[in-house]
Amino acid sequence: MTRGPNDPGRRERIVVAAVELMGRDGLHAITHRAVAARAGVPLGSTTYYFRDLDDLLLAAVDLALEQSRARIAAWDAALAPDAGAPEVCRSLAAMTVGFVTEHAARTVLDYELYAAGLRRRALRARSAEWIGLLRTALRGRFDDLTADALTAAVDGFTLQALLAPEPPTADACEALLRRVVAG
């Protein structure tokens, strides 16, 4: 008779704890000890499942990427298949402003993980995939160049809004996006 794991959800709890810790304190806060404490597991569990911090970070990126994929897919699915540019821009603006207002902490974490690919080769492919999530959804509604331009506009707007002293408005974001679509 083979013995099953005593705690089958432990690895997932460790990854979720790492994402939560990074969301609260930033990437620099990730240590095996801090993640183990947050997950409520013995320290040895983090090194059992993740040989080093890059492995743990990669798993955290995968989880965050999966969650982002689900958010983008839900946004796209909520739009009518034949939604025109004005409706898409309005909806995209609302989602973007939501990212920097009610979901600001998560958006900051997403950008930190995304940017980590600039320095950590192991994360580079996933960082590139991240930016492709919105681009892919938009390419289903616009030509490739317009979708790419909208993706860049959302990225730039989001970063600037996260740094701005005042929260952005959906109207300002929508005006920007409509300008991009208009050419």
Side-chain angles (χ1 to χ4, degrees):
M1 178 166 126
T2 60
R3 186 172 164 215
N6 289 334
D7 187 358
R10 184 174 288 188
R11 183 186 188 283
E12 291 75 23
R13 280 202 327 275
I14 292 168
V15 175
V16 168
V19 171
E20 290 172 353
L21 191 61
M22 287 185 289
R24 189 187 73 198
D25 299 331
L27 292 179
H28 67 280
I30 297 302
T31 65
H32 283 287
R33 187 174 306 283
V35 172
R38 176 83 179 188
V41 301
L43 177 60
S45 292
T46 62
T47 56
Y48 173 79
Y49 289 108
F50 307 100
R51 75 174 184 268
D52 58 29
L53 287 178
D54 277 348
D55 278 352
L56 180 54
L57 189 57
L58 195 58
V61 168
D62 285 342
L63 176 60
L65 186 58
E66 179 183 313
Q67 292 168 343
S68 292
R69 183 177 291 110
R71 284 195 308 267
I72 297 296
W75 167 79
D76 192 42
L79 285 166
D82 61 345
E87 293 83 17
V88 174
C89 289
R90 186 172 20 268
S91 178
L92 185 55
M95 179 178 69
T96 301
V97 170
F99 285 166
V100 298
T101 55
E102 62 254 30
H103 305 293
R106 176 53 195 254
T107 302
V108 168
L109 171 60
D110 286 349
Y111 273 98
E112 286 180 324
L113 292 172
Y114 172 63
L118 296 172
R119 299 259 184 219
R120 296 177 186 213
R121 187 167 303 281
L123 300 179
R124 193 159 290 164
R126 283 169 177 85
S127 292
E129 184 180 349
W130 210 309
I131 198 63
L133 296 174
L134 181 59
R135 177 182 292 130
T136 299
L138 291 171
R139 282 184 174 181
R141 297 181 178 278
F142 298 98
D143 64 90
D144 289 356
L145 183 58
T146 302
D148 292 354
L150 282 168
T151 301
V154 166
D155 238 5
F157 184 91
T158 301
L159 282 171
Q160 290 176 19
L162 287 168
L163 294 168
E166 297 296 321
T169 66
D171 289 342
C173 186
E174 184 180 347
L176 172 71
L177 299 177
R178 283 180 182 244
R179 177 66 61 95
V180 169
V181 170

